[in-house]
Amino acid sequence: MANSKFMATVSPHLHEKGQTIDRAMRDVLIALTPAALWAIIVFGFNAFLVMLVSIVTAMLTEVVMRWILGRKATLKDLSAVLTGLFLAFLLPVTTPLWVVAIGSFLAVGVAKELFGGLGKNIFNPALFGRVALMISPLWIYTAKFVEPFWWRGIGFFSPIHTSINNAVSGRVIYKTFTGGVVNATTSATPLSLLKSGKMLTNTVTGPTPVGATWLTSNGRPSGWSLFLGLKSGSLGEVSVLLLLVGACYLLYRRTIDWRIPVGVLGGALFIFLITWNHPLYQMLSGGIWLGALYMATDWVSSPVSRRAKWIYAVGIGVFIGLVRLYSPWPEGVAISILIWNVLTLLLDRYVAVPKFGEVKKPLFNRLPAFPKPKPIRVEEKA
Amino acid sequence: MSKQGFKTFKGGIHPPYNKELASGKAITRAPVPAELVIPLNQHIGAPNEPLVSPGDRVTVGQKIGGTDAFVSAPVHSSVAGTVKAIEDRPSFTGQIAKSVVITADAEQPAFEGKPSKPLGELTADDIREIAKEAGLVGMGGAAFPTHVKLSPPKDKPVDTVIINAAECEPFLTCDHRTMLERPSDLVEGLKLLMKAVGAKKGIIGIEANKMDAVDTVRSHVSAEPTIEVDVCDVKYPEGSEKQLIWALTGRKVPPGKLPSEVGCLVQNVGTAVALFEAATMGKPLYERVLTVSGQGIKEPANLRVLVGTPASVLVEAAGGMVSGAAKLIMGGPMTGWAQEDDTASVVKGTSGIVALPPELVDVRDEHACVRCGKCVDVCPMTLMPNFIVDSVQKEEWEKAELWGAVDCFECGCCSFTCPAYIPHVDYVRKAKAEIAALKKR
């Protein structure tokens, strides 16, 4: 009896049940499921293909990159699956699958693995992939949005085989694999309507949209269709309702911190209110809910202390408002979050959190940003 | 006020408590082992010198180790017997400790002692002297000499004595049982503590999962206008000194300071009862109550145990271990020390022995930090555990101190909740050692 061996590890000897990285990733995947199903319903079977290609490429990239870099395989923590799904959520359904694959490779291969793997990445990988496509010559392939239920005319399963014939007029040729060619006009997103001023003047023209309920009689989407998800846009961003349902689950599971979505939405609302620029439309359009609930709350690329989280979240919200109103782009969620991903490095270092019982504490830490390099001894060869 | 409606602090966690395994078991006396290993140093402070030699006869309560230094506590023999050896033995922390090995006699006489003075005539200095001679230390685990705590600096008078009856560590029920079975001794002990420091108020802080103890103790203080019983939220680490003071009095002890800074003194239930025994019977601290529990123990029990008893004897006294138990812990499961085997002996600060079956042991490889911030949210000291770990990994000790490595009291909330399974406490200990070494230079 006296010599039986036990496990000798450092305290504490208990661990919170269900508090693991893979469980958190699984939770987010569960939360995204309603929005993913809705994307397939609204945008057709092609939406499923975009997600599939994105996820499979992400997984392959992770396996290959980690093998090249000599790291342990971590496929089962599901982070690659999640990044792939997130990237697909940020792309319009018309994106050619090879462009999706490139974006997914950039997200996982560059933004995650080359930065050091899960936990070391500075940027939200999916947003990095999306913006990398946006600022590359491939941007034209990721900028064409279609109306909801566009597939009614040609069939749910008809694959899109996109080619660009005229970037200026925004016409896209959809081909089916059977050889038939469907010519359709791309749809403006609510935000591009706002940006071009058409929302104000009610001069939306063009052929009667398929699924006419998404437009009100004066030619612009109603608030309800924006909220429920009857609008054009990227795959995952269209239904505010379903994103909220998923986020409620994540809040219940305490996977995400409520401070970040509240800060982001509050910051953006503040800008839209003081400029009085269609606050309701602005808040219900574009990727702000997807960004606030799922992208800004990414563990790795957001700050850790609650104080820094508030600054980060409100900062993102304000930046979204400013980009939408005062830049050439209609949408600014991705770029705002990426900017604050970088600023997170500074927030983490310098936003001071008083220790228990500490009365006077400066707001910011005084601490060398770059520690002195360790002296390198150069050995001279005889 | 908190969700549960009782006094509480910010941060903290809710581990599975499993108190019901042993909370209903009355305290029984553990068997006298054939051989006892009594470490000479069971306290924080100056080391003791042995006062006996191999071959000497010792009696129950005889002082066998001591020193003239102020911050120290003598150790006493817990049995009548013969000193077999004075040698280095592995202690419960895994470190080598100089210990007195005693072979116990087959027949054990009862302890005989008498009070120096009647209880009412004791002065503050008398009480401090009694505590020092009895070798009293904090029995919640830290083992800080009691008489040192009872001697606060002159410019920082103590007005409130707090009895730490939170017992927030999972599984442990020894303080709970002591309150149920010896409430009047506890109250008398508290009155002695209050007298020693001249405090006008005494508070007994009990977690809300021990309402029967709250009722029992309350009925014993109904005639004491200066003593109150307060109920605290069930949350770990409610029984941490600084957190308990904040919850009960609203005062915050500044970083690096002692409770006397805010006029408080905190003592454990066991210590208060031991002080009462020392004052009324002249009995030194050679035995204590501890809990042997966990799903790896067949019949969990609360035992009155002689200091120096090996863990194996106590596990045996609690019905033995379930076959295949994976972890044996001396102390509570959050802050205790995992044992490689069951040979380590009980010291004054050992509050429990917990055995866990494999299904309750969740040990995994450490993943890189994913920066979820959960450790920051639960840290009761509002430190930055993840950045301490990061600084230690980079060997940037100044930064580790800035993030609060020195202020950490190693409660383990951060590791408990960490999805990446990072052993923060391990890193903090490393940082503390390095920072101390740097400051010495």
Side-chain angles (χ1 to χ4, degrees), chain B residues 119-139:
Chain B
L119 211 51
E121 292 172 21
L122 290 172
T123 64
D125 284 334
D126 290 341
I127 297 171
R128 273 192 283 273
E129 189 56 30
I130 287 170
K132 181 165 169 44
E133 278 308 304
L136 290 191
V137 297
M139 285 160 76

Short mmCIF file of all heavy atoms in Angstrom, two decimals, chain B residues 119-139:
data_model
loop_
_atom_site.label_atom_id
_atom_site.label_comp_id
_atom_site.label_asym_id
_atom_site.label_seq_id
_atom_site.Cartn_x
_atom_site.Cartn_y
_atom_site.Cartn_z
N LEU B 119 -9.11 31.55 33.20
CA LEU B 119 -9.38 32.20 31.92
C LEU B 119 -9.61 33.70 32.05
O LEU B 119 -9.10 34.49 31.27
CB LEU B 119 -10.62 31.54 31.29
CG LEU B 119 -10.69 31.50 29.77
CD1 LEU B 119 -9.43 30.92 29.19
CD2 LEU B 119 -11.91 30.70 29.34
N GLY B 120 -10.36 34.11 33.09
CA GLY B 120 -10.72 35.50 33.23
C GLY B 120 -9.55 36.41 33.56
O GLY B 120 -9.59 37.61 33.32
N GLU B 121 -8.48 35.84 34.13
CA GLU B 121 -7.38 36.69 34.59
C GLU B 121 -6.28 36.87 33.55
O GLU B 121 -5.29 37.56 33.81
CB GLU B 121 -6.76 36.09 35.87
CG GLU B 121 -7.70 36.14 37.06
CD GLU B 121 -7.15 35.36 38.26
OE1 GLU B 121 -5.92 35.12 38.29
OE2 GLU B 121 -7.95 34.97 39.12
N LEU B 122 -6.42 36.23 32.40
CA LEU B 122 -5.38 36.31 31.40
C LEU B 122 -5.28 37.71 30.81
O LEU B 122 -6.29 38.33 30.47
CB LEU B 122 -5.65 35.31 30.27
CG LEU B 122 -5.49 33.84 30.61
CD1 LEU B 122 -5.98 32.97 29.46
CD2 LEU B 122 -4.05 33.52 30.93
N THR B 123 -4.06 38.21 30.68
CA THR B 123 -3.87 39.49 30.02
C THR B 123 -3.50 39.24 28.55
O THR B 123 -3.25 38.09 28.15
CB THR B 123 -2.72 40.27 30.68
OG1 THR B 123 -1.51 39.52 30.48
CG2 THR B 123 -2.97 40.47 32.16
N ALA B 124 -3.43 40.32 27.79
CA ALA B 124 -3.10 40.19 26.37
C ALA B 124 -1.73 39.52 26.20
O ALA B 124 -1.55 38.64 25.34
CB ALA B 124 -3.11 41.55 25.70
N ASP B 125 -0.77 39.93 27.02
CA ASP B 125 0.57 39.34 26.90
C ASP B 125 0.55 37.86 27.25
O ASP B 125 1.23 37.05 26.64
CB ASP B 125 1.54 40.08 27.82
CG ASP B 125 1.95 41.43 27.23
OD1 ASP B 125 1.90 41.55 25.98
OD2 ASP B 125 2.28 42.35 28.00
N ASP B 126 -0.24 37.50 28.27
CA ASP B 126 -0.37 36.09 28.64
C ASP B 126 -0.86 35.27 27.45
O ASP B 126 -0.34 34.19 27.15
CB ASP B 126 -1.38 35.92 29.79
CG ASP B 126 -0.83 36.48 31.09
OD1 ASP B 126 0.40 36.63 31.17
OD2 ASP B 126 -1.63 36.76 32.00
N ILE B 127 -1.86 35.81 26.76
CA ILE B 127 -2.46 35.06 25.65
C ILE B 127 -1.44 34.86 24.53
O ILE B 127 -1.31 33.78 23.96
CB ILE B 127 -3.72 35.79 25.14
CG1 ILE B 127 -4.78 35.84 26.25
CG2 ILE B 127 -4.29 35.07 23.91
CD1 ILE B 127 -5.96 36.72 25.94
N ARG B 128 -0.68 35.92 24.25
CA ARG B 128 0.36 35.79 23.22
C ARG B 128 1.38 34.74 23.61
O ARG B 128 1.82 33.92 22.81
CB ARG B 128 1.05 37.14 23.00
CG ARG B 128 0.33 38.02 22.00
CD ARG B 128 1.20 39.19 21.61
NE ARG B 128 1.21 40.22 22.64
CZ ARG B 128 0.29 41.19 22.70
NH1 ARG B 128 -0.66 41.26 21.81
NH2 ARG B 128 0.35 42.09 23.67
N GLU B 129 1.74 34.75 24.89
CA GLU B 129 2.73 33.80 25.37
C GLU B 129 2.18 32.36 25.27
O GLU B 129 2.89 31.44 24.85
CB GLU B 129 3.09 34.15 26.83
CG GLU B 129 4.28 33.36 27.40
CD GLU B 129 5.54 33.51 26.57
OE1 GLU B 129 5.71 34.57 25.93
OE2 GLU B 129 6.35 32.55 26.54
N ILE B 130 0.92 32.21 25.63
CA ILE B 130 0.29 30.89 25.54
C ILE B 130 0.31 30.40 24.09
O ILE B 130 0.68 29.26 23.79
CB ILE B 130 -1.16 30.95 26.07
CG1 ILE B 130 -1.16 31.07 27.59
CG2 ILE B 130 -1.96 29.72 25.64
CD1 ILE B 130 -2.52 31.38 28.19
N ALA B 131 -0.06 31.31 23.17
CA ALA B 131 -0.10 30.93 21.76
C ALA B 131 1.29 30.53 21.28
O ALA B 131 1.47 29.56 20.54
CB ALA B 131 -0.63 32.09 20.92
N LYS B 132 2.31 31.26 21.72
CA LYS B 132 3.68 30.95 21.27
C LYS B 132 4.14 29.62 21.83
O LYS B 132 4.66 28.77 21.11
CB LYS B 132 4.63 32.07 21.70
CG LYS B 132 6.06 31.85 21.26
CD LYS B 132 6.87 33.12 21.38
CE LYS B 132 8.36 32.93 21.22
NZ LYS B 132 8.82 32.08 20.15
N GLU B 133 3.90 29.41 23.14
CA GLU B 133 4.37 28.18 23.77
C GLU B 133 3.64 26.96 23.21
O GLU B 133 4.21 25.88 23.12
CB GLU B 133 4.18 28.27 25.29
CG GLU B 133 5.30 29.02 25.99
CD GLU B 133 6.68 28.48 25.60
OE1 GLU B 133 6.92 27.27 25.76
OE2 GLU B 133 7.51 29.27 25.07
N ALA B 134 2.37 27.15 22.85
CA ALA B 134 1.59 26.02 22.33
C ALA B 134 1.92 25.74 20.87
O ALA B 134 1.41 24.78 20.30
CB ALA B 134 0.10 26.29 22.51
N GLY B 135 2.76 26.59 20.29
CA GLY B 135 3.11 26.36 18.88
C GLY B 135 1.96 26.58 17.93
O GLY B 135 1.87 25.92 16.90
N LEU B 136 1.09 27.52 18.26
CA LEU B 136 -0.09 27.73 17.41
C LEU B 136 0.29 28.38 16.09
O LEU B 136 1.08 29.32 16.05
CB LEU B 136 -1.11 28.63 18.13
CG LEU B 136 -1.85 28.05 19.31
CD1 LEU B 136 -2.98 28.97 19.70
CD2 LEU B 136 -2.38 26.67 18.99
N VAL B 137 -0.29 27.86 15.03
CA VAL B 137 -0.12 28.45 13.71
C VAL B 137 -1.50 28.49 13.05
O VAL B 137 -2.44 27.86 13.51
CB VAL B 137 0.85 27.65 12.81
CG1 VAL B 137 2.24 27.63 13.39
CG2 VAL B 137 0.33 26.24 12.58
N GLY B 138 -1.59 29.25 11.96
CA GLY B 138 -2.85 29.29 11.21
C GLY B 138 -3.14 27.91 10.66
O GLY B 138 -2.32 27.32 9.97
N MET B 139 -4.31 27.36 11.00
CA MET B 139 -4.57 25.96 10.66
C MET B 139 -5.36 25.82 9.37
O MET B 139 -5.81 24.74 9.01
CB MET B 139 -5.25 25.25 11.81
CG MET B 139 -4.26 24.95 12.92
SD MET B 139 -5.04 24.65 14.48
CE MET B 139 -5.67 23.01 14.24
#
